[in-house]
Amino acid sequence: MASSHIILPPDDDEEEQRRLEEEGEDEDPWARSVPPPAAPEHAVKASLPFSATCVRISRDSYPNLRALRNASSVSLADAAYVKISEGDFGYVLDDVPHLTDHLPDAPTYPNPLQDHPAYSTVKQYFVNEDDTVPQKVVVQKSSRRGVHFRRAGPRQRVYFESDEVKACIVTCGGLCPGLNTVIRELVCGLSHMYNVSKIYGIQNGYKGFYSSNYLTLTPKSVDDIHKRGGTVLGTSRGGHDTKKIVDNIQDRGINQVYIIGGDGTQKGAYEIFKEIRKRGLKVSVAGVPKTIDNDIAIIDKSFGFDTAVEEAQRAIDSAHVEACSAENGIGLVKLMGRYSGFIAMYATLASRDVDCCLIPESPFYMDGEGGLLQYIEKRLKENKHMVIVVAEGAGQDLIAKSLSTSEQQDASGNKLLLDIGLWLTHKIKDHFKSKKMEMTIKYIDPTYMIRAIPSNASDNVYCTLLAHSAIHGAMAGYSFTVGNVNGRHAYIPFYRVTSTRNKVKITDRMWARLLSSTNQPSFLSQKDIDEAKETDRMAKPPLPTGVSHHVANSFDQSASSSSNSEI
Ligand SMILES: Nc1ncnc2c1ncn2[C@@H]1O[C@H](COP(=O)(O)OP(=O)(O)OP(=O)(O)O)[C@@H](O)[C@H]1O
Ligand SMILES: O=P(O)(O)OC[C@H]1O[C@](O)(CO)[C@@H](O)[C@@H]1O
Ligand SMILES: [Mg+2]
């Protein structure tokens, strides 16, 4: 293995900082090769298997602090939690924080699973400490090995004794099929695998940490909850008060926090983790990403997504039946997807009855040559019926322009969307009325029905594995968001999943497949296509402050045009 670095925050020396900022403005900090100073003992320990050395960002290592801050999309304050290790052939490990980063003398214990009758027979149950998962699996002969994440799974030694653990579980954001399954499997996994008996449920999202009683959860109390939709703990938006939340965690002696929720929730989890670290507490924070929109970066797919796509078929089928049974019938189905149109795209591809799919990532227009209305007219003339699927975030610019409403937000600061389904229905009706052409349109909005159902069989298994991976990571002392990366469970740093959003790439093959299955126009000019390609090319993942030029290249490479999502 070649050298590896753990990035630590700059020394808290204001005088030094001022001096650093006054020095050369134009230098490229990434172009600098940094000779690492001798590693403090605890930093080496924290790096575990990677024989890491530690880089404290200081005058000696980075003379141009301001340029460094500007060049990075991760703030200097966050650099304290970024752990990058480099290996041979461009190998980069983007590691997750560990308890020993701030509690270097934390004791370890043998994993109780080694005596568990079910698991002790597995040939190699514990994962190798060196195991990592590549972010990019499509490579060329000359490719660098690129960015990797720490592989999830049980470790030989853990950082908590069973009766020391006080775990809590919270669900935040919108509903998603599978929430109850994750809660159930966290409770049962902690109890059955690690003999943990103190497990609490936080009610109604983040605000429940400081405004409600904690519920006691046992395998018995959660036994059949996976058969129900929703979350037995309740959920909410807004109410994230980091200080109050961590005060409560500290006062109640909680040392494992399991946080299930979407991109906003994972941002909240990161804030909680940072506050815990600031206070020097022995607490693991484990995020389990939940998003029916499938918009969380890095991970292959979020739990509940398959269930949502499957349920969407029922709405599309109904729209198809309605459309086929009328003269010039149109069935219009609105599906969820605030910024990302994955449900709409996959539901369309699965159904084959859809003639047009509209998503937020692909702008469209109504009138004139190549517009939506012209396409609908053509389709009705050819087929006498058609089905349109629209993601709720599509065409928001068009409605805003025609209704000139002011933007509103929910309690978490998310933009409240205008009803594109209703707006389209009126527009289409008006158009055919003015053309004196007979038609019928049936608008189906199944959005809340889709996310309120229990998860299907494959999502149930996925939820179980995610919950188990989260437990193993927390017991091993890590703080992270857990997720499937190229089919393998991995521990992903919070900053990675919160700094970008997963979106449908309209320059990928999947969207081309959709266009060819529906035969709809792309609504894009050559200029739009070129711009989209350029946006994809320029979209680089966040670059942690202080990474070397060599590492920076690997981050660039991992965002290059041939993405994993292209099948
Ligand atoms: N930047 C942030 N920092 C701290 N907390 C946040 C942040 N963004 C959101 N949160 C908190 O996370 C919780 C959930 O956020 P949000 O309502 O955006 O849902 P989400 O997790 O993104 O899920 P969904 O996919 O349903 O939108 C809220 O309680 C909100 O206050
Ligand atoms: O009405 P609510 O609960 O705020 O949720 C609506 C939003 O939640 C999501 O389902 C994400 O969870 C979005 O697709 C949707 O815009
Ligand atoms: Mg969100």
Side-chain angles (χ1 to χ4, degrees):
M1 280 266 158
S3 71
S4 20
H5 300 166
I6 291 177
I7 314 294
L8 292 181
D11 296 326
D12 267 349
D13 179 345
E14 281 181 22
E15 173 75 0
E16 164 100 328
Q17 287 232 10
R18 205 164 356 97
R19 217 156 12 106
L20 296 176
E21 295 193 358
E22 279 163 16
E23 289 181 11
E25 295 270 330
D26 303 320
E27 222 171 332
D28 173 9
W30 308 123
R32 187 169 286 273
S33 150
V34 184
E41 206 183 313
H42 79 268
V44 175
K45 187 170 176 197
S47 76
L48 300 169
F50 284 92
S51 61
T53 52
C54 153
V55 178
R56 183 175 287 279
I57 303 170
S58 71
R59 185 167 195 271
D60 294 337
S61 50
Y62 290 109
N64 189 350
L65 205 52
R66 189 183 295 158
L68 186 70
R69 197 185 288 133
N70 292 343
S72 162
S73 55
V74 174
S75 74
L76 196 56
D78 285 359
Y81 314 107
V82 175
K83 289 164 71 177
I84 302 291
S85 301
E86 289 179 61
D88 296 333
F89 311 110
Y91 172 95
V92 174
L93 170 65
D94 196 356
D95 206 357
V96 286
H98 191 264
L99 285 176
T100 50
D101 297 347
H102 67 291
L103 298 170
D105 300 321
T108 65
Y109 310 93
N111 192 324
L113 276 170
Q114 69 188 26
D115 304 319
H116 193 292
Y119 297 101
S120 56
T121 52
V122 181
K123 203 165 139 218
Q124 196 182 348
Y125 189 68
F126 297 111
V127 303
N128 188 317
E129 273 301 342
D130 271 348
D131 285 356
T132 58
V133 178
Q135 186 186 0
K136 192 169 157 65
V137 288
V138 180
V139 291
Q140 295 79 40
K141 211 158 113 189
S142 58
S143 298
R144 303 162 66 80
R145 290 179 66 199
V147 173
H148 291 63
F149 301 111
R150 192 171 280 282
R151 183 182 174 195
R155 269 55 187 168
Q156 205 109 36
R157 298 195 70 78
V158 292
Y159 280 78
F160 294 91
E161 281 187 296
S162 300
D163 51 8
E164 170 196 0
V165 175
K166 255 188 166 184
C168 73
I169 306 169
V170 64
T171 51
C172 312
L175 293 185
C176 177
L179 282 167
N180 279 336
T181 313
V182 177
I183 297 168
R184 183 189 190 278
E185 297 311 321
L186 285 172
V187 175
C188 294
L190 277 163
S191 175
H192 298 149
M193 294 193 295
Y194 287 97
N195 310 318
V196 171
S197 58
K198 282 163 269 174
I199 311 166
Y200 303 98
I202 309 296
Q203 301 187 67
N204 303 321
Y206 278 131
K207 66 179 180 205
F209 271 102
Y210 54 85
S211 65
S212 305
N213 292 331
Y214 290 15
L215 302 171
T216 299
L217 301 175
T218 63
K220 195 155 179 253
S221 71
V222 297
D223 186 42
D224 64 353
I225 63 172
H226 60 298
K227 294 180 181 154
R228 285 181 250 159
T231 158
V232 289
L233 298 179
T235 183
S236 66
R237 299 192 188 274
H240 187 281
D241 184 327
T242 313
K243 193 175 165 306
K244 278 197 202 166
I245 292 170
V246 180
D247 283 351
N248 270 272
I249 289 172
Q250 193 168 5
D251 291 350
R252 293 173 191 252
I254 301 284
N255 49 22
Q256 292 187 7
V257 186
Y258 294 92
I259 301 178
I260 313 166
D263 56 338
T265 306
Q266 300 307 313
K267 285 178 192 159
Y270 191 23
E271 295 307 314
I272 291 171
F273 157 75
K274 285 191 275 188
E275 184 61 25
I276 281 169
R277 177 60 63 88
K278 229 188 266 169
R279 299 187 192 187
L281 306 177
K282 186 185 172 187
V283 179
S284 297
V285 180
V288 183
K290 168 243 55 137
T291 155
I292 200 173
D293 294 351
N294 201 33
D295 57 358
I296 293 190
I298 312 285
I299 64 171
D300 296 346
K301 187 167 61 175
S302 47
F303 71 79
F305 178 73
D306 275 356
T307 307
V309 170
E310 209 168 283
E311 188 64 11
Q313 300 304 296
R314 302 199 320 135
I316 295 173
D317 285 349
S318 305
H320 189 229
V321 169
E322 288 287 347
C324 288
S325 310
E327 190 192 345
N328 289 331
I330 299 175
L332 174 62
V333 179
K334 184 176 77 168
L335 298 175
M336 274 183 173
R338 204 184 258 143
Y339 307 104
S340 310
F342 287 102
I343 301 182
M345 177 169 82
Y346 276 84
T348 296
L349 277 166
S351 155
R352 320 308 283 193
D353 284 333
V354 180
D355 301 278
C356 186
C357 174
L358 304 167
I359 59 169
E361 294 88 337
S362 184
F364 66 95
Y365 55 96
M366 299 295 292
D367 303 300
E369 187 62 30
L372 180 63
L373 293 170
Q374 188 192 59
Y375 173 61
I376 295 174
E377 227 176 288
K378 175 173 162 272
R379 210 76 182 131
L380 288 182
K381 278 179 190 151
E382 286 164 2
N383 279 2
K384 302 277 173 253
H385 72 271
M386 84 177 287
V387 175
I388 303 171
V389 165
V390 62
E392 60 178 342
Q396 290 294 311
D397 53 331
L398 301 179
I399 321 179
K401 229 185 275 170
S402 82
L403 300 181
S404 61
T405 50
S406 61
E407 195 177 303
Q408 294 191 341
Q409 295 184 335
D410 68 15
S412 297
N414 300 305
K415 188 175 148 192
L416 281 177
L417 300 175
L418 301 161
D419 191 338
I420 181 68
L422 210 53
W423 184 84
L424 276 177
T425 306
H426 288 304
K427 282 277 166 195
I428 295 168
K429 269 186 186 166
D430 289 350
H431 174 78
F432 285 101
K433 202 169 160 196
S434 72
K435 292 228 146 187
K436 297 195 174 34
M437 190 171 152
E438 197 69 28
M439 57 81 71
T440 304
I441 182 162
K442 297 286 187 265
Y443 170 38
I444 301 178
D445 177 355
T447 45
Y448 290 104
M449 291 170 67
I450 283 171
R451 72 175 202 182
I453 57 170
S455 46
N456 66 14
S458 85
D459 270 327
N460 266 337
V461 175
Y462 186 24
C463 291
T464 304
L465 298 185
L466 280 175
H468 286 192
S469 292
I471 295 170
H472 295 315
M475 288 297 298
Y478 293 109
S479 285
F480 54 85
T481 298
V482 66
N484 231 17
V485 179
N486 298 312
R488 291 290 185 168
H489 283 221
Y491 299 134
I492 309 162
F494 290 118
Y495 84 92
R496 276 295 207 135
V497 287
T498 54
S499 45
T500 49
R501 186 175 274 129
N502 193 23
K503 287 191 170 214
V504 172
K505 279 201 183 129
I506 58 169
T507 51
D508 262 11
R509 266 182 230 122
M510 211 58 177
W511 186 244
R513 277 187 195 108
L514 180 135
L515 294 179
S516 86
S517 107
T518 58
N519 280 316
Q520 70 191 70
S522 78
F523 303 109
L524 298 173
S525 64
Q526 191 53 47
K527 189 167 154 273
D528 293 330
I529 295 167
D530 291 343
E531 272 171 19
K533 280 187 180 160
E534 183 61 11
T535 311
D536 284 348
R537 205 179 61 78
M538 297 301 288
K540 289 180 187 168
L543 199 58
T545 304
V547 300
S548 68
H549 191 55
H550 172 59
V551 176
N553 284 341
S554 296
F555 274 73
D556 284 359
Q557 178 244 10
S558 70
S560 74
S561 59
S562 168
S563 69
N564 279 331
S565 61
E566 279 202 295
I567 299 165

